[in-house]
Amino acid sequence: MKKEHVEQIQKAIKAIEERQIDNIFFVACGGSMASLSTGEYFISKDTAVPAFVYTSNEFIHRSPSALGENSLVILRSHSGETPETVEASSFARKKGALTIAISMEVESPLCQNAEYILHYNYKDGSDAIDGELGIFYTLLFRILKLITDNEKYKRAEKQLENLGSLIEKNQEKFKKAADQFGRKNKREKLIYTMASGVYYHQAYSFTSCLLMEMLWINSNAIHAGEFFHGPFEVTDYDVPFLLVVGEGPSTPLDLRALDFAEKFSDKVEVVDIRELDYDGIDPDLKEYFGSALSGSVLRLYADGLAEHTGHPLSVRRYMWKMDY
Amino acid sequence: MKKEHVEQIQKAIKAIEERQIDNIFFVACGGSMASLSTGEYFISKDTAVPAFVYTSNEFIHRSPSALGENSLVILRSHSGETPETVEASSFARKKGALTIAISMEVESPLCQNAEYILHYNYKDGSDAIDGELGIFYTLLFRILKLITDNEKYKRAEKQLENLGSLIEKNQEKFKKAADQFGRKNKREKLIYTMASGVYYHQAYSFTSCLLMEMLWINSNAIHAGEFFHGPFEVTDYDVPFLLVVGEGPSTPLDLRALDFAEKFSDKVEVVDIRELDYDGIDPDLKEYFGSALSGSVLRLYADGLAEHTGHPLSVRRYMWKMDY
């Protein structure tokens, strides 16, 4: 990791250490919120510290009573310009919370607002450890280590060194299946996604940012545990599902949903995170790395759709084109 | 309220009073989870007590570290037989948490599992105060009063007496618009819902239980604050939205989404909760009652679709018909 990044994380962790932290808020919009949700998942699973995720505007308007001087607020925006998230950082600071902004643009309004900044590289060819995954998971492992003092987070941080090669290997491994998915589904106007546990957030991100935003394909990210309590009644032979089978404690939920979906739909695609290459990762750390790696694997399935529909992922009709 | 119900609530509140409660978990599936989410919303907004919502199976499999002897776990199942929720109640008790089950069936496994039971009447013609809304909101107001000692929750509880007449008046008020909605949308295969704040859970319920489950119409409950961070790119002249404009602090989010949706879609239906009849409700309590009343108003929009599609809300193809 670059020295600049190491120092930024150290500073942020030191600030957390010096403060009595009663709760952690993860605040962002869209794909950035989904990424931060990974933090909420592991904090709530591994520690007793209350952790919450809010989309930035809901955070401001609800104004949770627990937000105050003993709160840690972690915000994230790719450009650092997302107006709601910029406003949320001002709001959190006014409440006296400790604020950390994660962004690729350190000169952005979000980074100017927040007390601590974590910069990440984006598509500049540098090592994955300096990219959004490397920076965020390093922060997350440090926070988990700080709270629990469990040695495994040190190992986890060390094993982040494998991130770059694992992304590459796993993209290679899933490339063909993802392309086939694109070919088979190129005429679909609606594709449901499904997942549970930490992978639910990947499904949400895939639904909101890749299918709906970038491909204009209708979708809904269904929680595999919720599937049988309403949504499953839409299942039919011609209803497509992209189902993420997770590597983690809620895998049985995914498998139950998969079993049903495959029985009644001819269009079920499975992305089985258990089948990822976890070379260099200890067995007890697979869930952390499964969640870190699943995004780059899922991305290929959107690439497949883009390729076969002739609709590039960069096309927008509203975003960046007008005020709204 | 029936004496039996009064006593059940008193017992539950006494148990909460006698225990050090560090956090509150709301645990259920589908529509019941959406209803309980109202509790999480107001607890997090009005008090600093950490509150969480989990779909039952995710709760068990994630096994949040904060769950323990100082936790209050509120569970809900209409029949009291939802297997995941029954299991969640056993799980919570094993962890030493204080458990309260809300159900219409007191002889059910859920109620046998939980320490405290809150029964509600269902479609038996009795007063609304003894129905699911009356029972749940009474509990909620008592818990909020207990935590904050704010007098307004006493007033709120008192004003629940108006619930029955307000449901009736508001259903009367929205009946025609809802029927027209059904007529206009009877050929739609996909209808998005949108809301924010406490009303998001109503949109979720409408999407999962009414559109997808009961009407086999594709849907996704989009948070109005998330709309502009992905989902809005699917908006087009022929994409239908059912948008709930809330009565509460996040109304500006709804209005912004509405403004955009109406600009680019010819099929936007608005259910404006601000326009409800709040007769007998103090102005500072409108949000509590808006959320309580919105479900019975939204239900009419599903009735409208059922009427004009000829697809009764009682029809299922999988639920109750097979094991899954």
Side-chain angles (χ1 to χ4, degrees), chain A residues 30 44-45 55 58 61-62 65 84 192 197 204 218-220 223 226 229 233 235-236 249 317-319, chain B residues 30 44-45 55 58 61-62 65 84 192 197 204 218-220 223 226 229 233 235-236 249 317-319:
Chain A
S44 70
K45 183 166 166 277
T55 184
E58 176 79 35
H61 287 79
R62 187 183 312 185
S65 291
E84 298 95 319
Y192 283 111
Y204 181 84
N218 295 302
S219 186
N220 177 356
H223 189 288
E226 282 288 278
H229 300 281
E233 283 282 335
T235 312
D236 211 331
R317 45 183 157 183
Y318 310 118
M319 199 175 273
Chain B
S44 70
K45 183 166 166 279
T55 183
E58 176 80 35
H61 286 79
R62 189 184 310 185
S65 292
E84 298 95 320
Y192 284 111
Y204 181 84
N218 296 301
S219 186
N220 178 356
H223 188 288
E226 281 288 278
H229 300 280
E233 282 282 336
T235 312
D236 212 331
R317 45 183 157 182
Y318 309 119
M319 200 175 271

Side-chain angles (χ1 to χ4, degrees), chain B residues 105-124:
Chain B
E105 289 294 352
V106 289
E107 302 298 325
S108 63
L110 175 63
C111 290
Q112 278 159 13
N113 265 359
E115 279 167 286
Y116 294 89
I117 301 168
L118 262 56
H119 171 262
Y120 61 83
N121 294 341
Y122 182 62
K123 288 185 179 167
D124 66 349

Side-chain angles (χ1 to χ4, degrees), chain B residues 119-324:
Chain B
H119 171 262
Y120 61 83
N121 294 341
Y122 182 62
K123 288 185 179 167
D124 66 349
S126 68
D127 197 61
I129 197 68
D130 288 299
E132 49 183 331
L133 286 173
I135 298 295
F136 179 64
Y137 277 82
T138 302
L139 175 73
L140 183 57
F141 291 146
R142 292 274 179 100
I143 293 174
L144 288 165
K145 174 78 175 66
L146 197 61
I147 299 171
T148 64
D149 205 31
N150 189 321
E151 63 73 38
K152 76 171 175 181
Y153 302 111
K154 268 211 142 155
R155 270 191 290 124
E157 190 183 330
K158 181 95 180 97
Q159 292 173 23
L160 279 174
E161 284 169 11
N162 301 305
L163 206 51
S165 72
L166 287 177
I167 290 172
E168 227 169 273
K169 281 184 206 168
N170 283 302
Q171 286 193 325
E172 193 53 39
K173 190 168 179 168
F174 282 82
K175 208 172 64 179
K176 206 176 151 192
D179 184 71
Q180 283 301 306
F181 170 79
R183 197 183 68 82
K184 278 188 285 185
N185 290 280
K186 65 180 169 185
R187 309 209 201 285
E188 300 297 343
K189 295 296 162 217
L190 175 138
I191 300 171
Y192 284 111
T193 64
M194 194 146 44
S196 69
V198 70
Y199 305 95
Y200 176 74
H201 309 300
Q202 299 291 342
Y204 181 84
S205 203
F206 195 83
T207 277
S208 286
C209 304
L210 295 166
L211 292 176
M212 297 177 80
E213 175 182 326
M214 300 189 192
L215 291 157
W216 307 353
I217 293 171
N218 296 301
S219 186
N220 178 356
I222 300 167
H223 188 288
E226 281 288 278
F227 185 50
F228 297 102
H229 300 280
F232 80 142
E233 282 282 336
V234 297
T235 312
D236 212 331
Y237 70 95
D238 60 348
V239 177
F241 289 91
L242 178 69
L243 209 150
V244 180
V245 173
E247 165 63 59
S250 64
T251 311
L253 276 69
D254 309 326
L255 295 176
R256 182 180 169 218
L258 174 61
D259 185 53
F260 183 92
E262 283 189 329
K263 213 175 273 169
F264 296 101
S265 166
D266 301 334
K267 297 182 174 177
V268 180
E269 181 76 21
V270 184
V271 182
D272 195 333
I273 303 301
R274 298 172 304 174
E275 288 177 7
L276 257 58
D277 187 325
Y278 291 95
D279 199 23
I281 307 304
D282 292 345
D284 66 330
L285 302 175
K286 277 170 109 177
E287 191 184 11
Y288 303 96
F289 283 83
S291 73
L293 295 166
S294 53
S296 58
V297 167
L298 280 167
R299 178 81 186 197
L300 300 173
Y301 289 77
D303 288 339
L305 286 167
E307 175 68 21
H308 292 279
T309 57
H311 178 119
L313 297 183
S314 56
V315 171
R316 300 289 184 282
R317 45 183 157 182
Y318 309 119
M319 200 175 271
W320 314 316
K321 292 200 169 160
M322 57 183 78
D323 290 329
Y324 44 80

Side-chain angles (χ1 to χ4, degrees), chain B residues 85-97:
Chain B
T85 310
V86 174
E87 208 191 317
S89 65
S90 306
F91 177 75
R93 285 201 72 171
K94 254 181 240 142
K95 295 277 184 181

